[in-house]
């Protein structure tokens, strides 16, 4: 929850992505969010984020998301991280966001 942000303001959140599996997650990419939510700076993993295309087993990385509303009202969306888990193929991890 990004909380209350004035129109034209900006709030940022850092999300931790964890790989609890026994193999590397590959082809990580971000999707699923739309304005007024963006990856900070415009691209995955967001400025200051540490995720790359590969997340090794039993490790973490971060993604930075900005919320910058242009009008009043509650906004809901879903942040999605796509990846290949090396076993079942393409997967999506998701997290609901609101501001």
């Amino acid at each position: 929850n990004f909380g209350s942000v004035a129109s034209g303001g900006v709030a940022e959140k850092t999300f931790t992505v964890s790989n609890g599996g026994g193999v590397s997650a590959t082809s990580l990419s971000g999707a699923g969010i739309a304005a007024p939510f963006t990856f900070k700076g415009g691209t995955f993993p967001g400025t200051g984020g540490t995720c790359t295309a590969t997340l090794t087993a039993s490790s973490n990385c971060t993604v930075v998301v900005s919320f910058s509303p242009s009008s009043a009202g509650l906004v809901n969306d879903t942040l999605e991280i796509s990846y290949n888990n090396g076993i079942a193929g393409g997967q999506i991890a998701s997290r609901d966001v609101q501001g």
Side-chain angles (χ1 to χ4, degrees):
N1 185 343
F2 285 79
S4 295
V5 178
S7 180
V10 178
E12 298 172 356
K13 295 284 184 185
T14 300
F15 296 88
T16 300
V17 179
S18 300
N19 179 354
V23 298
S24 292
T26 59
S27 302
L28 265 73
S29 64
I33 57 173
F37 298 98
T38 60
F39 291 105
K40 182 180 179 184
T43 58
F44 176 82
T47 304
T50 61
C51 290
T52 61
T54 300
L55 182 57
T56 58
S58 302
S59 62
N60 303 317
C61 65
T62 58
V63 174
V64 182
V65 176
S66 296
F67 173 62
S68 182
S70 58
S71 60
L74 181 64
V75 181
N76 294 294
D77 208 340
T78 302
L79 168 64
E80 296 178 343
I81 307 294
S82 301
Y83 64 98
N84 184 316
N85 71 0
I87 298 169
Q91 303 290 312
I92 296 175
S94 62
R95 174 80 172 206
D96 292 334
V97 293
Q98 70 176 13

